[in-house]
Amino acid sequence: QLHLQESGPGLVKPSETLSLTCTVSGGSISGSSYYWGWIRQPPGKGLEWIGSIQYNGDTHYNPSLKSRVTMSVATSKNQFSLKLTSVTAADTAIFYCARLGYCIRDVCYHGDYWGQGALVTVSS
Amino acid sequence: IQMTQSPSTLYASVGDRVTITCRASQPISSWLAWYQQKPGKAPNLLIYKASTLQSGVPSRFSGSGSGTEFTLTISSLQPDDFATYFCHQYDNLWTFGQGTKVEIK
């Protein structure tokens, strides 16, 4: 049973960089081809995929956020991280880390585990 | 790939049969999941591969569809089912529908 836990500042000033880390326990990030992703949810709104990274560093970003997003993985710590630059109030949201699915040769495998979420507020 | 859910809000009573629809902007085979989310909680996986029930999920939940049209059905709505439901495609990158909130009529 995997457990994912988000950590990072809950308050970020406008124009600064939001940084979050997800620590995975109960299994290894390197153990499979799953992607490890970040999803955000503004208060009272829907889910938006931000980006995903595989244990080997292969990354995919939401085109609408790509210019501001960087993800990295630290397999020795079983962690992956998110940096979102030049934040504004519109970036205020609950940020979830999750294990997301992957596809190989026309067959896809679903994701399943999510962290509890971390509220990040952008305000001066 | 854009995912469009309908309706945005659904009003129903305990015991009702409830159906939520999700449409993909391009074919995604059966690579679709459904999640349930309750206030203050992370989404919880209900169904994957369009129609496969996740372990531990009650059998009153079912999913169907392929290509671009998908449905989530709750055969007899229970008090614990009042929540928001999201569809999620994992065929080409990852996207979520905007959600359907099931509220008490």
Side-chain angles (χ1 to χ4, degrees), chain A:
Chain A
Q1 181 86 359
L2 281 182
H3 181 75
L4 285 73
Q5 180 68 57
E6 305 88 353
S7 59
L11 181 64
V12 181
K13 289 182 168 55
S15 80
E16 295 190 345
T17 296
L18 180 159
S19 296
L20 291 171
T21 295
C22 183
T23 301
V24 179
S25 57
S28 173
I29 279 184
S30 306
S32 67
S33 299
Y34 284 101
Y35 278 86
W36 303 90
W38 290 97
I39 300 102
R40 69 178 180 178
Q41 185 172 38
K45 297 192 176 183
L47 301 167
E48 179 181 34
W49 169 68
I50 300 170
S52 302
I53 191 166
Q54 223 174 20
Y55 72 95
N56 59 6
D58 182 43
T59 53
H60 297 276
Y61 300 135
N62 186 322
S64 68
L65 298 168
K66 189 173 184 176
S67 63
R68 299 195 291 133
V69 173
T70 303
M71 291 182 64
S72 59
V73 62
T75 54
S76 61
K77 297 181 181 179
N78 230 28
Q79 294 177 334
F80 61 102
S81 298
L82 168 72
K83 289 190 187 298
L84 181 66
T85 62
S86 305
V87 297
T88 69
D91 293 309
T92 293
I94 297 172
F95 286 76
Y96 294 101
C97 62
R99 187 169 82 164
L100 297 177
Y102 67 98
C103 299
I104 292 181
R105 290 191 293 271
D106 296 331
V107 178
C108 296
Y109 301 87
H110 64 284
D112 39 19
Y113 295 99
W114 289 57
Q116 65 184 25
L119 174 63
V120 179
T121 302
V122 178
S123 175
S124 55

